mmCIF file of all heavy atoms in Angstrom:
data_model
loop_
_atom_site.group_PDB
_atom_site.id
_atom_site.type_symbol
_atom_site.label_atom_id
_atom_site.label_comp_id
_atom_site.label_asym_id
_atom_site.label_seq_id
_atom_site.Cartn_x
_atom_site.Cartn_y
_atom_site.Cartn_z
ATOM 1 N N TYR D 136 79.190 118.489 98.824
ATOM 2 C CA TYR D 136 78.388 119.498 99.555
ATOM 3 C C TYR D 136 79.207 120.727 99.741
ATOM 4 O O TYR D 136 80.466 120.738 99.561
ATOM 5 C CB TYR D 136 77.921 118.947 100.939
ATOM 6 C CG TYR D 136 79.076 118.741 101.858
ATOM 7 C CD1 TYR D 136 79.586 119.779 102.684
ATOM 8 C CD2 TYR D 136 79.720 117.529 101.932
ATOM 9 C CE1 TYR D 136 80.615 119.596 103.567
ATOM 10 C CE2 TYR D 136 80.806 117.354 102.829
ATOM 11 C CZ TYR D 136 81.252 118.342 103.615
ATOM 12 O OH TYR D 136 82.295 118.121 104.439
ATOM 13 N N THR D 137 78.523 121.813 100.025
ATOM 14 C CA THR D 137 79.239 123.034 100.348
ATOM 15 C C THR D 137 78.659 123.663 101.594
ATOM 16 O O THR D 137 77.516 123.587 101.955
ATOM 17 C CB THR D 137 79.199 124.110 99.201
ATOM 18 O OG1 THR D 137 80.124 125.167 99.499
ATOM 19 C CG2 THR D 137 77.810 124.609 98.922
ATOM 20 N N GLU D 138 79.705 124.274 102.343
ATOM 21 C CA GLU D 138 79.297 125.054 103.579
ATOM 22 C C GLU D 138 79.221 126.545 103.223
ATOM 23 O O GLU D 138 79.059 127.366 104.061
ATOM 24 C CB GLU D 138 80.321 124.802 104.694
ATOM 25 C CG GLU D 138 80.298 123.354 105.159
ATOM 26 C CD GLU D 138 81.401 123.136 106.218
ATOM 27 O OE1 GLU D 138 81.326 123.673 107.306
ATOM 28 O OE2 GLU D 138 82.378 122.450 105.921
ATOM 29 N N ARG D 139 79.533 126.872 101.901
ATOM 30 C CA ARG D 139 79.754 128.296 101.549
ATOM 31 C C ARG D 139 78.684 128.715 100.496
ATOM 32 O O ARG D 139 78.585 128.106 99.430
ATOM 33 C CB ARG D 139 81.181 128.412 100.942
ATOM 34 C CG ARG D 139 82.168 127.790 101.848
ATOM 35 C CD ARG D 139 83.548 128.081 101.424
ATOM 36 N NE ARG D 139 83.993 127.558 100.121
ATOM 37 C CZ ARG D 139 85.191 127.136 99.851
ATOM 38 N NH1 ARG D 139 86.140 127.207 100.799
ATOM 39 N NH2 ARG D 139 85.451 126.659 98.617
ATOM 40 N N GLU D 140 78.091 129.795 100.861
ATOM 41 C CA GLU D 140 77.126 130.396 99.941
ATOM 42 C C GLU D 140 77.599 130.603 98.538
ATOM 43 O O GLU D 140 76.989 130.279 97.517
ATOM 44 C CB GLU D 140 76.656 131.685 100.567
ATOM 45 C CG GLU D 140 75.462 132.420 99.840
ATOM 46 C CD GLU D 140 74.125 131.842 100.050
ATOM 47 O OE1 GLU D 140 73.923 131.250 101.169
ATOM 48 O OE2 GLU D 140 73.340 131.860 99.146
ATOM 49 N N TRP D 141 78.843 131.134 98.527
ATOM 50 C CA TRP D 141 79.412 131.475 97.180
ATOM 51 C C TRP D 141 79.804 130.373 96.307
ATOM 52 O O TRP D 141 80.097 130.544 95.144
ATOM 53 C CB TRP D 141 80.609 132.444 97.408
ATOM 54 C CG TRP D 141 81.738 131.917 98.117
ATOM 55 C CD1 TRP D 141 82.764 131.187 97.643
ATOM 56 C CD2 TRP D 141 81.964 132.018 99.551
ATOM 57 N NE1 TRP D 141 83.686 130.843 98.676
ATOM 58 C CE2 TRP D 141 83.167 131.413 99.877
ATOM 59 C CE3 TRP D 141 81.308 132.666 100.587
ATOM 60 C CZ2 TRP D 141 83.744 131.254 101.118
ATOM 61 C CZ3 TRP D 141 81.827 132.579 101.864
ATOM 62 C CH2 TRP D 141 83.035 131.864 102.152
ATOM 63 N N ASP D 142 79.745 129.075 96.805
ATOM 64 C CA ASP D 142 80.026 127.949 95.959
ATOM 65 C C ASP D 142 78.768 127.355 95.389
ATOM 66 O O ASP D 142 78.781 126.444 94.521
ATOM 67 C CB ASP D 142 80.710 126.862 96.746
ATOM 68 C CG ASP D 142 82.198 127.045 96.850
ATOM 69 O OD1 ASP D 142 82.757 127.851 96.011
ATOM 70 O OD2 ASP D 142 82.808 126.519 97.752
ATOM 71 N N LEU D 143 77.583 127.882 95.735
ATOM 72 C CA LEU D 143 76.304 127.292 95.316
ATOM 73 C C LEU D 143 76.082 127.306 93.834
ATOM 74 O O LEU D 143 75.650 126.327 93.183
ATOM 75 C CB LEU D 143 75.148 127.987 96.020
ATOM 76 C CG LEU D 143 74.852 127.507 97.442
ATOM 77 C CD1 LEU D 143 73.771 128.334 98.093
ATOM 78 C CD2 LEU D 143 74.480 126.005 97.460
ATOM 79 N N GLU D 144 76.466 128.458 93.192
ATOM 80 C CA GLU D 144 76.302 128.523 91.712
ATOM 81 C C GLU D 144 77.133 127.480 90.986
ATOM 82 O O GLU D 144 76.723 126.791 90.132
ATOM 83 C CB GLU D 144 76.675 129.945 91.280
ATOM 84 C CG GLU D 144 76.154 130.263 89.919
ATOM 85 C CD GLU D 144 76.551 131.735 89.478
ATOM 86 O OE1 GLU D 144 76.673 132.593 90.416
ATOM 87 O OE2 GLU D 144 76.781 131.890 88.268
ATOM 88 N N TRP D 145 78.426 127.418 91.426
ATOM 89 C CA TRP D 145 79.336 126.396 90.809
ATOM 90 C C TRP D 145 78.817 125.047 91.069
ATOM 91 O O TRP D 145 78.792 124.132 90.091
ATOM 92 C CB TRP D 145 80.710 126.534 91.472
ATOM 93 C CG TRP D 145 81.705 125.531 90.945
ATOM 94 C CD1 TRP D 145 82.460 125.580 89.845
ATOM 95 C CD2 TRP D 145 81.925 124.199 91.488
ATOM 96 N NE1 TRP D 145 83.124 124.438 89.605
ATOM 97 C CE2 TRP D 145 82.836 123.531 90.644
ATOM 98 C CE3 TRP D 145 81.433 123.501 92.630
ATOM 99 C CZ2 TRP D 145 83.226 122.275 90.876
ATOM 100 C CZ3 TRP D 145 81.893 122.191 92.835
ATOM 101 C CH2 TRP D 145 82.788 121.592 91.948
ATOM 102 N N LEU D 146 78.282 124.760 92.264
ATOM 103 C CA LEU D 146 77.733 123.394 92.528
ATOM 104 C C LEU D 146 76.523 123.128 91.619
ATOM 105 O O LEU D 146 76.364 121.958 91.144
ATOM 106 C CB LEU D 146 77.354 123.331 93.985
ATOM 107 C CG LEU D 146 77.382 121.971 94.693
ATOM 108 C CD1 LEU D 146 78.771 121.306 94.488
ATOM 109 C CD2 LEU D 146 77.139 122.140 96.234
ATOM 110 N N ALA D 147 75.676 124.080 91.407
ATOM 111 C CA ALA D 147 74.483 123.881 90.523
ATOM 112 C C ALA D 147 74.961 123.588 89.118
ATOM 113 O O ALA D 147 74.389 122.689 88.444
ATOM 114 C CB ALA D 147 73.681 125.119 90.563
ATOM 115 N N ASP D 148 76.031 124.248 88.687
ATOM 116 C CA ASP D 148 76.594 123.952 87.313
ATOM 117 C C ASP D 148 77.192 122.556 87.231
ATOM 118 O O ASP D 148 77.016 121.868 86.262
ATOM 119 C CB ASP D 148 77.683 124.961 86.969
ATOM 120 C CG ASP D 148 77.074 126.349 86.719
ATOM 121 O OD1 ASP D 148 75.808 126.481 86.531
ATOM 122 O OD2 ASP D 148 77.826 127.311 86.686
ATOM 123 N N GLU D 149 77.815 122.150 88.372
ATOM 124 C CA GLU D 149 78.362 120.795 88.391
ATOM 125 C C GLU D 149 77.286 119.749 88.339
ATOM 126 O O GLU D 149 77.424 118.673 87.688
ATOM 127 C CB GLU D 149 79.237 120.593 89.620
ATOM 128 C CG GLU D 149 80.030 119.321 89.707
ATOM 129 C CD GLU D 149 81.063 119.100 88.586
ATOM 130 O OE1 GLU D 149 81.333 120.016 87.807
ATOM 131 O OE2 GLU D 149 81.614 117.952 88.489
ATOM 132 N N LEU D 150 76.102 120.036 89.053
ATOM 133 C CA LEU D 150 74.981 119.082 88.939
ATOM 134 C C LEU D 150 74.514 118.923 87.541
ATOM 135 O O LEU D 150 74.281 117.824 87.095
ATOM 136 C CB LEU D 150 73.893 119.668 89.910
ATOM 137 C CG LEU D 150 72.550 118.947 89.817
ATOM 138 C CD1 LEU D 150 72.673 117.473 90.348
ATOM 139 C CD2 LEU D 150 71.424 119.653 90.621
ATOM 140 N N ASP D 151 74.344 120.029 86.844
ATOM 141 C CA ASP D 151 73.994 119.989 85.445
ATOM 142 C C ASP D 151 74.956 119.156 84.609
ATOM 143 O O ASP D 151 74.527 118.311 83.770
ATOM 144 C CB ASP D 151 73.890 121.401 84.825
ATOM 145 C CG ASP D 151 72.612 122.099 85.305
ATOM 146 O OD1 ASP D 151 71.788 121.449 85.854
ATOM 147 O OD2 ASP D 151 72.576 123.351 85.150
ATOM 148 N N ALA D 152 76.224 119.467 84.786
ATOM 149 C CA ALA D 152 77.261 118.752 83.995
ATOM 150 C C ALA D 152 77.283 117.225 84.282
ATOM 151 O O ALA D 152 77.434 116.467 83.369
ATOM 152 C CB ALA D 152 78.577 119.369 84.278
ATOM 153 N N ALA D 153 77.144 116.889 85.625
ATOM 154 C CA ALA D 153 77.183 115.497 85.963
ATOM 155 C C ALA D 153 75.965 114.741 85.393
ATOM 156 O O ALA D 153 76.039 113.650 84.919
ATOM 157 C CB ALA D 153 77.206 115.324 87.459
ATOM 158 N N ARG D 154 74.807 115.454 85.432
ATOM 159 C CA ARG D 154 73.570 114.864 84.876
ATOM 160 C C ARG D 154 73.734 114.634 83.377
ATOM 161 O O ARG D 154 73.430 113.594 82.833
ATOM 162 C CB ARG D 154 72.386 115.776 85.161
ATOM 163 C CG ARG D 154 71.050 115.156 84.874
ATOM 164 C CD ARG D 154 69.934 116.007 85.364
ATOM 165 N NE ARG D 154 69.663 115.978 86.741
ATOM 166 C CZ ARG D 154 69.339 117.158 87.487
ATOM 167 N NH1 ARG D 154 69.258 118.263 86.972
ATOM 168 N NH2 ARG D 154 69.076 116.967 88.816
ATOM 169 N N THR D 155 74.249 115.634 82.681
ATOM 170 C CA THR D 155 74.458 115.552 81.233
ATOM 171 C C THR D 155 75.427 114.409 80.906
ATOM 172 O O THR D 155 75.307 113.716 79.901
ATOM 173 C CB THR D 155 75.035 116.869 80.669
ATOM 174 O OG1 THR D 155 74.183 117.954 81.090
ATOM 175 C CG2 THR D 155 75.109 116.846 79.184
ATOM 176 N N ALA D 156 76.406 114.153 81.821
ATOM 177 C CA ALA D 156 77.306 113.059 81.622
ATOM 178 C C ALA D 156 76.794 111.708 81.903
ATOM 179 O O ALA D 156 77.408 110.745 81.700
ATOM 180 C CB ALA D 156 78.595 113.322 82.498
ATOM 181 N N GLY D 157 75.541 111.723 82.360
ATOM 182 C CA GLY D 157 74.867 110.406 82.617
ATOM 183 C C GLY D 157 74.860 109.955 84.001
ATOM 184 O O GLY D 157 74.490 108.752 84.268
ATOM 185 N N CYS D 158 75.283 110.721 84.960
ATOM 186 C CA CYS D 158 75.344 110.260 86.313
ATOM 187 C C CYS D 158 73.968 110.342 86.921
ATOM 188 O O CYS D 158 73.131 111.263 86.544
ATOM 189 C CB CYS D 158 76.253 111.238 87.160
ATOM 190 S SG CYS D 158 77.923 111.230 86.672
#
Side-chain angles (χ1 to χ4, degrees):
Y136 66 88
T137 188
E138 296 176 68
R139 310 188 295 213
E140 183 75 32
W141 60 88
D142 278 341
L143 279 174
E144 195 181 330
W145 177 86
L146 207 52
D148 290 345
E149 186 63 10
L150 173 65
D151 285 346
R154 189 175 283 140
T155 307
C158 299

